[in-house]
Amino acid sequence: MSNPTRFPSSPSAWRPATTLVHGGTTRSLHGETAEALFLTSGFVYDSAEQAEATFAGTARHYQYSRFGNPTVAMLEERLAALEGAEACRATASGMAAVNAALLAHLKTGDRVVASRALFGSCHWIVSTLLPRYGIATEFVDGADLDQWRAALRRPAQLVLLETPSNPMLEIVDLRAVATLAHEAGAIVVVDNVFATPLLQRPLQFGADVVVYSCTKHIDGQGRVLGGAVLGSRKWIDEVLQPFIRNTGPSLSAFNAWLLLKGLETLALRLDAGCRNAAALAGFLAERPEVARVWYPTRDDHPQAELARAQMADGGTLVTFEVAGGKAAAFRMLNGLRLIVVSNNLGDSKSLATHPATTTHMRIGAEERARLGITDGVVRLSVGLEDPADLQEDLAAALGALSLGSGQRRAAGL
Ligand SMILES: *Cc1c(COP(=O)(O)O)cnc(C)c1O
């Protein structure tokens, strides 16, 4: 028994929609319908002998919620079943998941190759934190296989990438990069937040570890932070679990309970969100105020074919460039009445942000230029509102860009 603190067993034959509702569920002696919330830090033993056996690993009993908790374990089992992964550990945030996966695996003298288009804090860990501990890091353009090939000609221990990327929705060829990485001796860690476990399962393409910010679509209602790391039973138990157990990025049982409830509706929300996003991408592409639209599975996306091969649908994010740079982008954002300005994503409410001055401000103008994040770029996280209302909101805000300042004032914009 490799890990005595994880009890629920995952029924692997269920299809995703069923797994989302039932996966990993265990019931207490009261037989409750909804998942029980075990809001407890510690656990009681029947005897000193049971405590001894538990610590020796010969008895199955929860010990302490930093190591494992019944509500958190239900979430972990549900996510593992959904991903087709052998094991999962949940963490307090997406960044705790990324950080734990990296620091648990790496040591001084190791080498990391990462795609340049990473979530801001992931970029900071790779570019700033890891080198402090004597870990060499190299960034490549994720869509350019020649750059991956060149960087992985030398031995490496870990590859980190995100696909689709934030905010330009660039696609990385998972199978090709996994092959190159394994030849170099590296494990592949994929930040799968934008795709979610329903639209893309990186393990099927050769990735070794998948990380999530559960804060995004898995909660899906903008309530709590959470994260998850998924991989083989051996890697999770032997590499990740000692790190989590001893450093404490553990998820609270309350947040795990909310995330379990979030998962129950993930398929329905994602379906509606993807439909709305694809419709809005089509609408935006026709607008004269919009210079360009990015949506992974649209024909005009440069990697549409690869996106369709890896993803079941295009996702809930649409990125577009407002003609006229920062001033026009800001006027458009300030003209929105329904869609709110927020740097979060994956919410049931539609959220828009200006990456160059918010999420990607810290990486600097040079790096933004390399990633194609111009001052006109707006990232839209499409929610569950009626698509006609979203479209009217965008139409009004974009339409106002061509009005003179007097007309805008008269229209209250
Ligand atoms: C939000 C996000 C993270 C970080 O997750 P938190 O839950 O905010 O810590 C990491 N990667 C991606 C792609 C994200 O969108």
Side-chain angles (χ1 to χ4, degrees):
M1 197 175 27
S2 56
N3 191 341
T5 60
R6 326 232 63 75
F7 296 159
S9 65
S10 353
S12 54
W14 284 335
R15 289 157 188 85
T18 309
T19 302
L20 285 169
V21 179
H22 291 285
T25 301
T26 50
R27 294 196 164 84
S28 79
L29 73 168
H30 302 297
E32 64 283 349
T33 314
E35 296 77 358
L37 170 50
F38 290 94
L39 206 52
T40 180
S41 46
F43 300 88
V44 175
Y45 305 96
D46 293 336
S47 63
E49 285 78 9
Q50 191 187 35
E52 181 187 33
T54 301
F55 273 77
T58 57
R60 281 158 67 91
H61 200 288
Y62 284 97
Q63 293 157 281
Y64 189 54
S65 283
R66 170 150 46 78
F67 313 165
N69 171 285
T71 309
V72 178
M74 284 191 252
L75 173 68
E76 292 168 340
E77 289 301 321
R78 191 170 294 181
L79 287 171
L82 199 59
E83 193 74 39
E86 288 174 8
C88 171
R89 282 309 321 261
T91 56
S93 69
M95 284 324 303
V98 174
N99 187 53
L102 268 50
L103 290 188
H105 191 80
L106 295 166
K107 61 180 187 316
T108 301
D110 282 352
R111 185 168 167 263
V112 171
V113 178
S115 60
R116 195 180 303 285
L118 289 180
F119 184 76
S121 294
C122 301
H123 196 278
W124 183 86
I125 289 177
V126 174
S127 65
T128 307
L129 184 66
L130 295 181
R132 273 190 209 163
Y133 297 96
I135 296 161
T137 62
E138 182 173 345
F139 285 107
V140 298
D141 291 343
D144 186 345
L145 275 181
D146 288 338
Q147 289 193 27
W148 285 109
R149 212 169 278 122
L152 291 167
R153 226 165 253 141
R154 287 185 294 136
Q157 281 65 42
L158 191 144
V159 161
L160 176 65
L161 63 90
E162 194 184 312
T163 179
S165 72
N166 176 28
M168 301 314 295
L169 307 178
E170 171 187 282
I171 310 295
V172 178
D173 187 332
L174 288 169
R175 203 186 298 279
V177 172
T179 303
L180 292 168
H182 293 155
E183 283 166 8
I187 64 160
V188 177
V189 180
V190 177
D191 182 337
N192 204 37
V193 167
F194 274 40
T196 82
L198 290 180
L199 301 187
Q200 174 173 276
R201 297 209 272 162
L203 300 180
Q204 291 183 331
F205 299 100
D208 303 283
V209 173
V210 180
V211 291
Y212 287 103
S213 165
C214 300
T215 314
K216 312 297 166 54
H217 303 84
I218 290 174
D219 173 24
Q221 289 144 90
R223 301 168 297 190
V224 295
L225 300 184
V229 187
L230 299 108
S232 71
R233 166 73 58 199
K234 186 173 160 60
W235 187 85
I236 296 279
D237 283 355
E238 294 176 11
V239 179
L240 188 74
Q241 173 68 4
F243 183 91
I244 287 184
R245 177 182 170 125
N246 293 302
T247 65
S250 318
L251 181 66
S252 89
F254 182 72
N255 288 3
W257 181 81
L258 281 171
L259 294 171
L260 280 161
K261 291 299 163 200
L263 280 175
E264 288 185 355
T265 58
L266 179 62
L268 301 173
R269 287 185 286 105
L270 213 56
D271 236 31
C274 288
R275 218 178 314 117
N276 282 357
L280 287 182
F283 161 77
L284 288 165
E286 299 298 318
R287 293 291 306 199
E289 305 88 350
V290 173
R292 196 166 161 199
V293 172
W294 289 264
Y295 186 69
T297 50
R298 262 178 72 85
D299 287 336
D300 57 4
H301 189 288
Q303 299 163 287
E305 206 176 316
L306 178 59
R308 290 192 204 107
Q310 292 184 171
M311 300 173 70
D313 207 337
T316 67
L317 286 121
V318 179
T319 298
F320 60 101
E321 183 174 20
V322 180
K326 179 181 167 183
F330 270 37
R331 263 166 57 199
M332 193 284 296
L333 286 166
N334 292 336
L336 295 168
R337 292 290 172 266
L338 170 60
I339 299 166
V340 291
V341 176
S342 170
N343 51 280
N344 198 9
L345 62 97
D347 199 317
S348 53
K349 296 176 171 63
S350 290
L351 315 173
T353 194
H354 184 249
T357 54
T358 60
T359 55
H360 291 71
M361 179 191 62
R362 286 212 166 74
I363 63 170
E366 199 180 314
E367 191 70 359
R368 278 198 300 278
R370 259 209 261 212
L371 293 170
I373 306 171
T374 66
D375 285 351
V377 164
V378 171
R379 186 193 74 192
L380 183 61
S381 171
V382 181
L384 305 180
E385 301 91 341
D386 190 306
D389 288 327
L390 294 172
Q391 189 167 314
E392 281 173 23
D393 197 35
L394 285 164
L398 288 167
L401 294 181
S402 48
L403 299 178
S405 59
Q407 290 167 289
R408 284 206 306 278
R409 223 172 295 120
L413 291 166

